[in-house]
Amino acid sequence: MNVLIVVFSPAGSTLKVAGLLERRLVDRGHAVQLLNITGRREIFADGRQQEFLAEQVKAHDVICLGSPVYEKHVEYYMREFIKGLPRPDAIWGRWAVPFFTYGGISSGVALSQAHKLLEAGGRQVLAAMKIESAHLRAKKLKTCVNAGLPGDEALPYIDELAGRIAACADSQPAGLSRRVLNYQGFREKFISALLNERFMHRHKYGKLTIDRERCVACSRCVAACPIQRIEWAAGKPNMDGRLPECIHCLACVNACPLEAISFVNGQAGWAAIERVYARVAREGSLVRSNEQPRNAVYPLVRPSV
Ligand SMILES: Cc1cc2nc3c(=O)[nH]c(=O)nc-3n(C[C@H](O)[C@H](O)[C@H](O)COP(=O)(O)O)c2cc1C
Ligand code: SF4
Ligand code: SF4
């Protein structure tokens, strides 16, 4: 069987899971194409998703789509990417497998949202997976929620998912019902419905800026931005003007060797994030979410550990 794994992973956790899934499928004798779209200029800066996919993607039976959970939803750019996928045909398989990593606050409604988007694009969802991972890391943040995750505890789930995908080659499974992914309680669904990722990025998170005095024009931040929103203009990086909306992944901040990128409001921006993370680290969650089990493959069968 041919499997395509497409992954968007600003901080690398989802990519790690995708790599492990690839290895397990290859071990089972399947042909796997792993396509990491993080930072692909053609998609995020040039708006050439269709041409890029036509050039890159090989014929497959199953497409697996990996992304982080942002604001309890499918990360915004991944959502747009899924909407822009070609419908199933001789190249594009009709089976889909969404998988997410989330930072231990809540996987929110990401899986059911992905199911809806994939079904709208003419696909049937075969299985789905969520894996708890490290939350946002930055040199300037003292707290790291879930440091070191995903680790070995994720392996049985990835094995289980690979087994479900492999089984699809021998049988004609019924598609997964969206109801199965509707696992959050009323409160969590209500909060998710109120959370608008664009609004949060525009108005709630601090705006990032480059300190021109410190910047030595090494261009590492440009290469690190997963949505290619930092332009290289006249020998300098630029993150102002009419660029795609920042997703506050802090990849540019982490890539900068001279700490030249920070919040416009300086220390207050960092302190605001630190407060939230310290609370998550202390209490396990920001607001109580029904996140049990923490890792899962749906339909729910607990893999033997
Ligand atoms: C802007 C932003 C929003 C996030 N929102 C959530 C969230 O709602 N729930 C959660 O548990 N983790 C959240 N996270 C944490 C990520 O889902 C988690 O770190 C994920 O594993 C990152 O995947 P990556 O390493 O592939 O980028 C958020 C992270 C960022 C940067
Ligand atoms: S500008 Fe920085 S924080 Fe914003 S999306 Fe790009 S890398 Fe992430
Ligand atoms: S990584 Fe830092 S020093 Fe290098 S170009 Fe970007 S802002 Fe300037």
Side-chain angles (χ1 to χ4, degrees):
M1 193 170 57
N2 296 316
V3 182
L4 170 68
I5 304 176
V6 179
V7 61
F8 177 65
S9 181
S13 292
T14 321
L15 183 60
K16 180 175 178 185
V17 171
L20 291 165
L21 179 62
E22 176 191 29
R23 204 171 324 146
R24 271 145 189 82
L25 286 164
V26 170
D27 288 348
R28 286 179 154 87
H30 300 290
V32 182
Q33 181 185 10
L34 175 58
L35 187 60
N36 181 5
I37 60 167
T38 319
R40 291 307 296 241
R41 178 152 284 280
E42 302 92 322
I43 298 176
F44 300 106
D46 304 342
R48 293 180 51 244
Q49 175 169 328
Q50 299 305 331
E51 294 91 324
F52 171 79
L53 293 177
E55 282 158 21
Q56 299 281 332
V57 167
K58 298 183 196 144
H60 54 274
D61 307 290
V62 180
I63 177 172
C64 305
L65 289 143
S67 157
V69 173
Y70 271 21
E71 315 306 345
K72 301 178 191 280
H73 291 85
V74 182
E75 191 288 320
Y76 175 80
Y77 288 94
M78 191 57 170
R79 209 181 317 164
E80 294 305 300
F81 178 85
I82 296 175
K83 284 188 200 161
L85 282 176
R87 292 184 80 83
D89 59 14
I91 303 284
W92 291 86
R94 75 183 169 94
W95 290 107
V97 176
F99 64 97
F100 287 90
T101 63
Y102 72 105
I105 296 182
S106 163
S107 64
V109 294
L111 280 174
S112 61
Q113 189 188 18
H115 187 294
K116 193 173 177 182
L117 292 171
L118 288 162
E119 244 184 18
R123 293 184 165 78
Q124 268 185 291
V125 174
L126 177 65
M129 178 172 75
K130 64 173 182 184
I131 296 290
E132 188 172 14
S133 301
H135 208 296
L136 191 63
R137 287 147 287 186
K139 283 177 261 177
K140 288 230 171 102
L141 294 172
K142 283 194 240 79
T143 318
C144 180
V145 177
N146 281 344
L149 296 188
D152 288 352
E153 75 300 324
L155 297 179
Y157 298 91
I158 298 168
D159 273 341
E160 173 70 26
L161 186 65
R164 303 252 185 121
I165 295 169
C168 171
D170 312 317
S171 60
Q172 282 297 313
L176 176 66
S177 156
R178 182 139 50 97
R179 252 180 300 125
V180 173
L181 303 177
N182 200 4
Y183 50 79
Q184 301 290 7
F186 171 78
R187 184 184 156 91
E188 187 61 16
K189 279 194 276 194
F190 181 70
I191 296 167
S192 300
L194 294 180
L195 262 185
N196 178 313
E197 192 190 341
R198 302 247 94 182
F199 176 84
M200 295 294 283
H201 288 304
R202 229 167 262 175
H203 304 293
K204 286 286 173 199
Y205 295 115
K207 189 175 180 302
L208 289 167
T209 187
I210 298 173
D211 181 341
R212 296 281 162 214
E213 301 283 297
R214 287 188 179 215
C215 175
V216 291
C218 70
S219 83
R220 286 189 204 175
C221 53
V222 178
C225 180
I227 55 165
Q228 290 294 296
R229 75 171 300 273
I230 308 180
E231 283 177 326
W232 192 250
K236 286 190 229 145
N238 170 41
M239 52 164 67
D240 301 316
R242 293 178 63 80
L243 292 165
E245 200 89 51
C246 175
I247 57 173
H248 293 92
C249 65
L250 304 186
C252 55
V253 177
N254 289 333
C256 181
L258 292 157
E259 299 194 1
I261 306 177
S262 194
F263 289 107
V264 170
N265 61 351
Q267 200 44 43
W270 292 107
I273 301 186
E274 194 77 65
R275 271 197 302 278
V276 172
Y277 286 3
R279 182 159 166 207
V280 175
R282 211 172 46 239
E283 296 172 20
S285 193
L286 253 190
V287 277
R288 270 162 60 82
S289 75
N290 185 23
E291 209 61 59
Q292 291 298 338
R294 311 289 291 181
N295 294 325
V297 175
Y298 296 94
L300 209 54
V301 176
R302 213 173 284 265
S304 47
V305 182

